[in-house]
Amino acid sequence: MSDLPTKYRFARPESKEKRDNDRLDFLYPPRMEMRNWIRSARKKADLTQEQLGEKLGVTKGNVSAWENGRHEPSYAQIQEISVVTKYPMPDSQPSIPGASTLDSKDVAVRVQEMLTETGMDGAAFADKVQIPLKRVESWLKGSAISIEDAVAIQKVYGYNSAWVLARVGEKKAAILHNDEYRPKALGKRKALAVRGMAQLGDDGFWAALEYPVGHGDGYLDWPTSDPDAYAIECSGDSMRPRIKHGEFVIIEPNHPFQPGDEVLVASKDGRVMVKELAYKAAGRYHLLSVNEAHGKVTLEESQIDHIHYVAGIAKPSMWRPE
């Protein structure tokens, strides 16, 4: 490497496995390097670099740069490579042998436990979670359960998503469907300052323009017990149908959040986004897009300025001027 001319040298950080004291490190196993994945996908499809480039609308040089590790394709290009070559996405590559504790038998046992306890067959279980029946059938044969499906099962049936994935932690989430009815007080209605506008930016991110604390562009009447609650107006249609243009998201900074909740995430580089929290593991937050047109986002804890709980969505008619 030292014999190469300076312009051909590239500083590339070493990939080191990060351990997690909560035993959730299995959720982020080491993956195949991107350059190796592209080369394997191309060869699996029996394509030359030039042929793959033609199918993707790029040059042979672009493909060569990807396979040599000089550049990496965008997420959209990675998806297109997977489609063109019929090769699994990098995120679905098999994990390391050390993850053998997540054996196929244990996956099938956990799924069968859930079917027995809910009193449902595979078809009814799948229908309620809104997934294909063949996916549940594959779990019963030992196929791995995805993060998104584990979160969906937690939402519908109350099973802890970490337990669904690898029998970690309590079987049931904190809030059970058969709990005694104990409604929480919403708090008194108060005037929440609209502290900024969230507008659609590149790659599905949102850029927020915030006002000083205690001031804003008008107010919303909203029931809350959080003294620091505030509102942000949303501009654009990137989050339809969940959030429409002109609506407001109500933010409660002091409210705790958990996997499955919608949160407002502000990164230290100025990006602000509304996402669904999938899980946190090994110092990383894994976020799902409310709008499926945008992909998943993974951020290191050190990259995040703050994460605030999204308490609700308010209609434009609730706004009033100062």
Side-chain angles (χ1 to χ4, degrees):
M1 182 70 177
S2 59
D3 296 332
L4 291 175
T6 303
K7 67 177 181 178
Y8 293 120
R9 297 179 192 168
F10 296 87
R12 305 187 69 82
E14 294 183 6
S15 175
K16 295 182 179 179
E17 182 179 3
K18 297 185 178 181
R19 307 301 296 179
D20 179 29
N21 294 331
D22 295 327
R23 296 174 56 229
L24 291 176
D25 50 292
F26 68 90
L27 293 175
Y28 201 87
R31 303 293 184 186
M32 181 186 293
E33 281 193 19
M34 182 56 64
R35 59 180 180 177
N36 294 334
W37 178 83
I38 296 170
R39 186 180 296 111
S40 298
R42 177 176 62 79
K43 290 186 176 180
K44 181 77 173 179
D46 196 24
L47 297 172
T48 65
Q49 290 182 340
E50 185 174 5
Q51 289 170 333
L52 179 59
E54 288 176 355
K55 290 179 179 293
L56 300 175
V58 300
T59 66
K60 174 185 175 181
N62 290 132
V63 178
S64 176
W66 295 341
E67 293 188 359
N68 289 325
R70 296 197 302 273
H71 301 289
E72 287 193 353
S74 67
Y75 186 74
Q77 287 171 323
I78 294 170
Q79 289 179 311
E80 194 171 357
I81 292 171
S82 179
V83 172
V84 167
T85 62
K86 296 182 173 59
Y87 198 69
M89 289 283 287
D91 285 347
S92 63
Q93 293 295 317
S95 59
I96 57 174
S100 59
T101 52
L102 310 179
D103 58 51
S104 59
K105 180 179 177 181
D106 194 45
V107 174
V109 169
R110 288 198 305 280
V111 174
Q112 187 58 59
E113 278 185 49
M114 292 187 286
L115 294 178
T116 301
E117 291 176 1
T118 57
M120 295 187 175
D121 60 15
F125 188 92
D127 183 62
K128 198 165 182 180
V129 182
Q130 296 185 335
I131 59 174
L133 171 59
K134 64 181 181 181
R135 197 174 301 173
V136 176
E137 292 173 340
S138 71
W139 299 340
L140 290 169
K141 295 176 182 177
S143 295
I145 301 172
S146 71
I147 296 297
E148 292 86 350
D149 287 341
V151 171
I153 290 171
Q154 177 175 307
K155 282 184 176 181
V156 174
Y157 294 107
Y159 288 99
N160 183 352
S161 56
W163 180 89
V164 173
L165 287 164
R167 203 180 288 278
V168 174
E170 298 294 329
K171 178 187 286 191
K172 285 286 190 172
I175 299 175
L176 305 180
H177 290 278
N178 59 353
D179 276 350
E180 177 187 351
Y181 178 58
R182 297 190 299 271
K184 293 183 178 180
L186 291 176
K188 296 180 179 179
R189 298 185 74 87
K190 59 183 294 186
L192 303 185
V194 178
R195 285 177 44 189
M197 174 180 288
Q199 185 168 348
L200 178 64
D202 295 336
D203 300 321
F205 294 121
W206 298 71
L209 308 173
E210 291 202 0
Y211 292 84
V213 176
H215 300 276
D217 183 18
Y219 294 88
L220 293 171
D221 286 323
W222 190 267
T224 180
S225 55
D226 189 332
D228 299 318
Y230 61 95
I232 288 183
E233 182 181 0
C234 295
S235 175
D237 292 320
S238 74
M239 298 187 71
R240 289 182 67 94
R242 179 67 176 137
I243 303 174
K244 303 180 181 66
H245 174 76
E247 292 184 336
F248 300 84
V249 288
I250 309 300
I251 309 299
E252 293 185 348
N254 300 309
H255 193 294
F257 50 82
Q258 62 184 12
D261 286 339
E262 289 171 354
V263 291
L264 182 141
V265 182
S267 63
K268 290 182 179 178
D269 60 9
R271 294 175 295 170
V272 179
M273 62 201 90
V274 177
K275 297 285 184 181
E276 179 183 331
L277 175 63
Y279 64 94
K280 177 189 175 186
R284 299 180 180 89
Y285 283 92
H286 298 259
L287 308 162
L288 305 177
S289 294
V290 177
N291 186 327
E292 293 183 356
H294 303 300
K296 293 183 290 186
V297 175
T298 299
L299 292 176
E300 297 281 350
E301 192 169 9
S302 60
Q303 295 178 288
I304 296 175
D305 183 70
H306 63 263
I307 300 180
H308 289 168
Y309 177 77
V310 174
I313 302 168
K315 299 297 181 182
S317 58
M318 298 183 68
W319 178 87
R320 60 180 175 83
E322 288 191 72

